[in-house]
């Protein structure tokens, strides 16, 4: 990963009978360029050369074959810990007929990779996979044709396998891919149309029959893990650039405060101090060392002093524009926005008066952080007519476009060199630290590394938004659902505006977006009214957090249907199945139940003596055509309110699985992180700023809280199915599952996350 181009290519010559080669090329236009590949592929090393992304219609944009018979895959997707580097390599290795352990991957760097769309939404394997599959198939076809010319035989008499082409039935007549290509760039026209997620590549390439796969579908060890375990891996936080300086952003006490004055007295006494950078309300310091930058920032004021404005040598206006934390729910309901019907069937209003039993509930989920263990970091080198960035962004090509707009530099003069960041889980501070570094580098004319501090990350990274949801359900005398109403108030989950750009008073980049319900309603109730009341920003900056909004809306929907089942005196699983027509949903629910050993009975469980009570919970979700059902066992301490999750069973249907081991890792990670969000995570704030700016104020799941067992069942993992995504879906059911399990254990409903012990004890007191 991040291999230098000069390590991937070598000069060489190639003799080819053009007429013989083209005869069997099936529309592929082939011409191996007799050029210096280093000059072509490493154009970004020279500030005077274009660093535009390669042409997606050319094979060299996707693959390189090296003289030592290794190969390199180039992809615009990036690794965020989900294992896509290995999965995409498996897809390429499968179609190319090449050993995966000899296939390297270059990810994200804009001068070397095609824009395949940002890496988010569990869409890498789903959309980038077919693009890479077709490109690799085109490469295999081209290599067979090259070998046909060499052996003077029809391509049909040859076979490609393990990085070599052999004459069928003729032992010893073999040539490696490396010898065939001889160090040349694969200047082959393969055809491409569309952009990003909609990009279609090499549409005429002869792809393999999935039933013959030998690499895709097999557990393969992830390429990135050895370096991460041994400490040899290079994260963006580890990158060093010659001559770089260090920057820190100086934050106000109030998140919307205005910078009134800056007193730089004494800063020059700090050894290594270089410059104060001020542009509008953006304030930063640059120094020769990181420690000097930290000292200078603290002298101007870190924004942490409880005395507020005036605590440092930078003076800010007073600002208290956030809602009271306890009033955020009313603020949500009162904020104007869009009203969108998600599902409407029959008439809930006409059905309610005739119901035997009506249940109402409100579910609340707070602001939450991405909680990246390593704070965001980036390096920028901005010159008069070019710029280079080293960054861990999930959207390097989009960030290149954003920086072109911000700096007034053409995109083909900007290179974003991607390195993996320490944690992501959505749009955290990784996109925002880049313009921080850009503004400082532009001011001093040298490369500047900006490392956010922990209080920067917790205080200023965009948050997952709070959501409030009202539900009403009605049953007839036989326990059948006669009405279902689910209304949610959802702020934007996709505010893409950049903090530094806004502070600096530059023209806006990105957009505020609108509220997204992210709910896939699937029940077949006769009378249903599901609606989203979406709006823009409510207080703090918000952005995508793993499975944006659907983690929260699944919680409300799947916890409330448990409430309905309990009111009807029916088993929670049977109650769901009665109102589902989605066969894949039915399949995952039944698969989870079988793996768990589900016994048919209503909740709550029979009364249990003692302070500890055990319960089970179930929930499911359809997240972007992936079906997931989760069952969990919990133990609740009635005295302390502590919840302990002992066992989790997940049935997962994302179609054809590329790497079962990688998917298992991903599901386990989703369960663990979503447990953390369910049990612990909540942003605290006052009217000026976020107050939970360390791990004590914003606790996350500890190792001793991880379930003893996470059992995983893969459903519909068959070659005839397409591959969907596994990065987010298994996050969604967790809060509902735990809420339902707690009710099963102690008969208490938890309708607000996180389920911290004090909140559980309060719910017990109210029920008692």
């Amino acid at each position: 990963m991040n291999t230098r181009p000069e390590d991937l290519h070598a000069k060489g010559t190639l003799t080819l009978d053009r007429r013989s080669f083209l005869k069997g090329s099936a529309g592929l236009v082939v011409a191996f360029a007799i050029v210096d590949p280093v000059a072509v592929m490493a154009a970004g090393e020279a500030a005077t050369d274009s660093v535009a992304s390669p042409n997606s219609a050319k094979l060299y944009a996707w693959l390189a074959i090296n003289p030592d018979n290794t190969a390199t895959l180039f992809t615009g997707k990036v690794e965020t810990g989900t294992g896509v580097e290995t999965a995409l390599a498996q897809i390429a290795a499968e179609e190319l007929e090449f050993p995966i352990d000899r296939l390297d991957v270059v990810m994200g760097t804009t001068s070397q990779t095609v824009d395949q769309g940002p890496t988010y939404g569990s869409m890498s394997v789903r959309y980038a996979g077919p693009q890479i599959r077709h490109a690799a198939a085109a490469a295999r076809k081209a290599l067979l044709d090259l070998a046909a010319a060499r052996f003077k035989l029809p391509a049909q008499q040859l076979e490609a396998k393990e990085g070599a082409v052999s004459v069928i039935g003729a032992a010893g007549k073999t040539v490696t891919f490396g010898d065939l290509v001889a160090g040349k760039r694969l200047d082959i026209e393969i055809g491409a149309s569309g952009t990003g997620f909609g990009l279609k590549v090499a549409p005429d390439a002869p792809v393999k029959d999935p039933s013959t796969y030998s690499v895709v579908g097999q557990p393969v060890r992830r390429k990135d893990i050895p370096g991460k375990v041994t400490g040899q891996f290079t994260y963006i936080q580890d990158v060093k650039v010659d001559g770089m300086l260090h920057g820190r952003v100086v934050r106000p006490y109030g998140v919307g405060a205005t910078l009134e004055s800056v007193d730089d007295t004494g800063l020059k006494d700090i050894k290594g101090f270089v410059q104060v950078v001020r542009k509008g309300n953006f304030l930063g310091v640059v120094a020769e060392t990181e420690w000097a930058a930290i000292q200078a920032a603290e002298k101007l004021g870190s924004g942490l002093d409880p005395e507020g404005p005036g605590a440092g040598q930078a003076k800010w206006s007073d600002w208290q524009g956030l809602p009271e934390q306890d009033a955020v729910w009313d603020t949500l309901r009162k904020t104007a926005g869009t009203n969108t019907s998600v599902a409407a069937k029959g008439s809930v209003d006409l059905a309610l008066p005739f119901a035997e039993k009506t249940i109402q509930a409100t579910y609340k989920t707070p602001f939450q952080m991405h909680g990246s263990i390593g704070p965001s970091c980036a390096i920028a080198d901005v010159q008069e007519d070019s710029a280079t960035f080293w960054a861990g962004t999930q959207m390097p090509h989009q960030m290149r476009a954003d920086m072109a707009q911000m700096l007034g530099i053409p995109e083909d003069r900007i290179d974003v060199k991607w390195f993996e960041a320490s944690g992501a889980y959505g749009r955290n501070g990784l996109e925002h630290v880049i313009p921080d570094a850009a503004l400082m580098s532009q001011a001093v004319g040298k490369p500047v590394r900006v490392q956010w501090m922990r209080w920067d990350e917790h205080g200023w990274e965009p948050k997952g938004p709070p959501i409030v949801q009202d539900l009403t359900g009605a049953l007839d005398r036989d326990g059948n659902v006669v009405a279902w109403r689910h209304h949610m108030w959802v702020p934007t989950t996709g505010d893409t505006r950049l903090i530094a750009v806004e502070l600096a008073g530059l023209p806006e980049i990105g957009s505020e977006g609108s509220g997204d319900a992210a709910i896939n309603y699937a029940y077949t109730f006769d009378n249903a009214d599901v609606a989203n009341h979406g709006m823009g920003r409510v207080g703090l900056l918000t952005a995508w957090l793993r499975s944006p909004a659907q983690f929260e809306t699944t919680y409300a929907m799947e916890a409330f249907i448990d409430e309905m089942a309990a009111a009807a005196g029916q088993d929670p699983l049977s109650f769901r199945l009665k109102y589902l027509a989605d066969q894949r949903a039915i399949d995952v629910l039944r698969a989870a139940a079988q793996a768990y050993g589900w016994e048919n009975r209503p909740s709550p469980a029979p009364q249990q003596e003692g302070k500890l009570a055990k319960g089970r919970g179930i929930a499911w979700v359809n997240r972007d055509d992936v079906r997931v059902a989760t069952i969990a066992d919990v133990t609740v301490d009635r005295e302390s309110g502590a919840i302990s999750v002992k066992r989790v069973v997940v049935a997962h249907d994302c179609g054809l699985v590329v790497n079962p081991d990688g998917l298992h890792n991903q599901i386990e990670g989703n369960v663990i992180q979503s447990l953390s969000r369910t049990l612990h995570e909540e942003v605290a704030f006052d009217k000026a700023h976020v107050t939970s700016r360390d791990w004590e104020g914003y606790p996350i799941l500890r190792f001793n809280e991880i379930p003893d067992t996470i059992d995983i069942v893969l459903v519909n993992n068959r070659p005839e199915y397409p591959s969907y995504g596994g990065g987010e879906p298994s996050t969604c059911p967790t809060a509902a599952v735990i809420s339902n399990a707690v009710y099963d254990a102690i008969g208490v409903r938890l309708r607000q996350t996180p389920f911290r012990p004090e909140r559980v004890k309060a719910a017990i007191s109210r029920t008692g």
Side-chain angles (χ1 to χ4, degrees):
M1 189 163 59
N2 296 312
T3 309
R4 296 179 305 163
E6 51 266 46
D7 294 332
L8 305 180
H9 304 274
K11 299 178 183 179
T13 59
L14 177 66
T15 301
L16 179 66
D17 180 336
R18 178 179 175 84
R19 178 177 300 226
S20 299
F21 178 69
L22 291 177
K23 186 175 180 180
S25 64
L28 294 176
V29 180
V30 182
F32 283 81
I34 309 301
V35 296
D36 182 352
V38 174
V40 174
M41 296 302 294
E45 301 301 319
T48 57
D49 294 334
S50 169
V51 285
S53 297
N55 183 349
S56 60
K58 295 287 191 176
L59 185 52
Y60 63 73
W62 303 94
L63 287 161
I65 306 295
N66 309 312
D68 62 352
N69 208 35
T70 59
T72 304
L73 168 67
F74 300 91
T75 174
K77 295 297 182 181
V78 301
E79 179 63 72
T80 61
T82 61
V84 297
E85 177 191 13
T86 303
L88 295 177
Q90 284 181 256
I91 293 170
E94 182 71 71
E95 288 294 339
L96 188 59
E97 293 287 0
F98 198 84
I100 191 169
D101 60 348
R102 297 177 64 82
L103 179 67
D104 293 323
V105 184
V106 170
M107 307 186 83
T109 294
T110 56
S111 59
Q112 295 181 278
T113 66
V114 170
D115 182 1
Q116 296 175 270
T119 304
Y120 58 43
S122 303
M123 292 189 282
S124 292
V125 168
R126 182 173 185 172
Y127 292 103
Q131 296 163 358
I132 289 170
R133 180 190 187 199
H134 279 256
R140 172 169 43 84
K141 176 70 170 65
L143 290 162
L144 283 168
D145 289 338
L146 276 173
R150 171 176 288 222
F151 291 122
K152 296 182 171 40
L153 290 170
Q156 292 80 3
Q157 295 183 21
L158 308 175
E159 66 175 352
K161 190 173 182 180
E162 291 295 308
V165 179
S166 302
V167 178
I168 298 172
K173 284 198 172 184
T174 299
V175 59
T176 67
F177 290 179
D179 286 341
L180 281 171
V181 177
K184 295 300 181 224
R185 188 174 73 162
L186 297 173
D187 197 356
I188 301 174
E189 182 73 34
I190 59 176
S193 62
T195 59
F197 296 119
L199 178 64
K200 306 296 182 185
V201 181
D204 298 325
V207 297
K208 293 174 64 175
D209 182 341
S211 66
T212 67
Y213 284 169
S214 60
V215 181
V216 167
Q218 299 303 310
V220 173
R221 292 182 178 180
R222 280 175 48 169
K223 290 177 171 291
D224 55 329
I225 295 301
K228 290 175 177 176
V229 171
T230 61
Q232 296 173 304
F233 190 84
T234 301
Y235 288 99
I236 181 59
Q237 288 86 351
D238 302 318
V239 174
K240 295 179 176 63
V241 174
D242 289 343
M244 75 179 185
L245 302 175
H246 296 267
R248 282 294 188 278
V249 180
V250 180
R251 310 287 184 184
Y253 182 78
V255 296
T258 299
L259 180 58
E260 296 178 338
S261 65
V262 180
D263 177 6
D264 62 1
T265 302
L267 293 183
K268 292 182 180 179
D269 296 334
I270 298 173
K271 184 178 180 180
F273 170 75
V274 173
Q275 185 176 327
V276 171
V277 177
R278 177 181 180 179
K279 192 174 183 67
N281 292 317
F282 177 86
L283 182 62
V285 292
V286 179
E288 293 175 357
T289 67
E290 190 166 14
W291 176 234
I294 292 171
Q295 289 178 290
E298 289 182 346
K299 196 170 187 67
L300 290 181
S302 64
L304 292 171
D305 195 309
E307 296 180 6
Q313 292 178 194
K315 305 300 181 185
W316 303 83
S317 67
D318 192 12
W319 186 90
Q320 296 187 19
L322 295 176
E324 295 282 358
Q325 184 159 358
D326 291 340
V328 70
W329 317 112
D330 290 335
T331 302
L332 284 170
R333 296 180 192 277
K334 294 174 183 177
T335 302
T338 60
N339 297 294
T340 304
S341 176
V342 177
K345 183 181 179 183
S347 175
V348 171
D349 290 333
L350 290 177
L352 285 174
F354 299 97
E356 181 73 16
K357 188 178 294 185
T358 300
I359 305 101
Q360 293 182 310
T362 295
Y363 285 81
K364 301 173 182 177
T365 48
F367 281 112
Q368 290 189 319
M369 297 180 192
H370 296 81
S372 301
I373 299 297
S376 298
C377 178
I379 304 170
D381 184 6
V382 179
Q383 301 301 315
E384 184 177 349
D385 61 352
S386 65
T388 304
F389 296 92
W390 293 260
T393 171
Q394 289 179 248
M395 46 190 75
H397 292 83
Q398 179 60 52
M399 187 49 59
R400 177 180 61 181
D402 289 347
M403 290 300 95
Q405 182 180 344
M406 172 181 163
L407 299 169
I409 297 173
E411 278 191 49
D412 65 359
R413 310 278 295 164
I414 295 177
D415 194 10
V416 177
K417 297 178 180 292
W418 179 82
F419 287 82
E420 187 172 346
S422 176
Y425 318 118
R427 187 182 173 100
N428 59 359
L430 288 168
E431 273 69 53
H432 295 273
V433 72
I434 295 170
D436 287 347
L439 288 171
M440 294 191 214
S441 176
Q442 187 179 44
V444 301
K446 293 183 178 180
V448 175
R449 176 185 184 271
V450 175
Q451 169 75 66
W452 278 15
M453 305 295 278
R454 172 51 53 194
W455 52 83
D456 288 315
E457 191 73 33
H458 276 201
W460 290 82
E461 61 117 273
K463 309 296 187 288
I467 299 175
V468 61
Q469 304 174 71
D470 291 340
L471 294 100
T472 300
L475 301 167
D476 64 17
R477 66 182 59 192
D478 296 320
N480 299 310
V481 177
V482 295
W484 173 278
R485 174 168 282 149
H486 182 180
H487 282 219
M488 60 210 82
W489 286 260
V490 185
T492 178
T493 59
D495 193 333
T496 60
R497 294 174 298 174
L498 298 173
I499 299 170
V501 172
E502 191 169 294
L503 290 173
L506 297 171
E508 184 176 286
I509 296 174
S511 62
E512 184 173 314
S514 59
D516 179 6
I519 187 170
N520 197 320
Y521 171 80
Y523 290 111
T524 59
F525 306 129
D526 290 337
N527 300 290
D529 169 23
V530 182
N532 172 48
H533 308 283
M535 70 282 291
R537 190 193 299 188
V538 180
L540 300 171
L541 183 68
T542 57
W544 307 298
L545 177 57
R546 203 170 205 169
S547 196
Q550 199 164 2
F551 169 76
E552 295 88 347
T553 55
T554 301
Y555 163 47
M557 182 171 67
E558 284 296 293
F560 191 69
I561 199 167
D562 247 54
E563 294 201 40
M564 298 281 285
Q570 298 181 30
D571 173 72
L573 172 60
S574 300
F575 194 77
R576 284 173 171 81
L577 293 175
K578 185 165 59 171
Y579 298 106
L580 280 173
D582 180 342
Q583 188 58 49
R584 290 175 64 199
I586 293 168
D587 289 347
V588 292
L589 282 164
R590 286 178 171 163
Q594 181 177 0
Y596 173 81
W598 185 272
E599 295 181 3
N600 191 299
R601 65 166 174 81
S603 286
Q607 188 172 358
Q608 304 170 59
E609 299 298 329
K611 73 170 187 173
L612 299 180
K614 297 180 180 180
R616 65 180 191 182
I618 188 170
W620 78 280
V621 73
N622 173 2
R623 167 72 177 169
D624 286 338
D625 277 340
V626 177
R627 275 53 164 198
V628 178
T630 305
I631 301 173
D633 283 333
V634 306
T635 299
V636 183
D637 187 323
R638 290 188 177 95
E639 295 180 3
S640 69
I643 298 170
S644 179
V645 182
K646 298 300 185 181
R647 180 191 181 199
V648 178
V649 176
V650 179
H652 198 285
D653 172 9
C654 60
L656 176 63
V657 176
V658 175
N659 186 349
D661 183 61
L663 180 60
H664 276 74
N665 294 339
Q666 199 47 212
I667 294 169
E668 291 168 352
N670 271 314
V671 168
I672 291 168
Q673 189 197 18
S674 57
L675 277 175
S676 182
R677 294 174 67 184
T678 298
L679 298 178
H680 295 297
E681 298 184 33
E682 180 174 13
V683 174
F685 57 95
D686 58 23
K687 297 202 73 173
H689 63 187
V690 172
T691 57
S692 49
R693 293 196 272 192
D694 54 32
W695 293 117
E696 183 177 357
Y698 192 84
I700 58 176
L701 200 73
R702 301 297 181 118
F703 280 109
N704 64 345
E705 298 176 283
I706 293 173
D708 296 332
T709 305
I710 301 177
D711 296 323
I712 297 168
V713 182
L714 301 183
V715 181
N716 289 329
N717 178 20
R718 300 199 295 268
E720 65 268 25
Y721 275 73
S723 294
Y724 300 110
E728 295 179 309
S730 49
T731 286
C732 297
T734 303
V737 165
I738 303 307
S739 177
N740 296 339
V742 169
Y743 177 79
D744 191 56
I746 60 175
V748 171
R749 291 289 176 195
L750 300 178
R751 299 191 181 109
Q752 182 174 345
T753 58
F755 305 151
R756 291 176 175 175
E758 60 270 21
R759 188 164 282 155
V760 176
K761 286 181 68 176
I764 292 173
S765 298
R766 287 193 301 271
T767 304

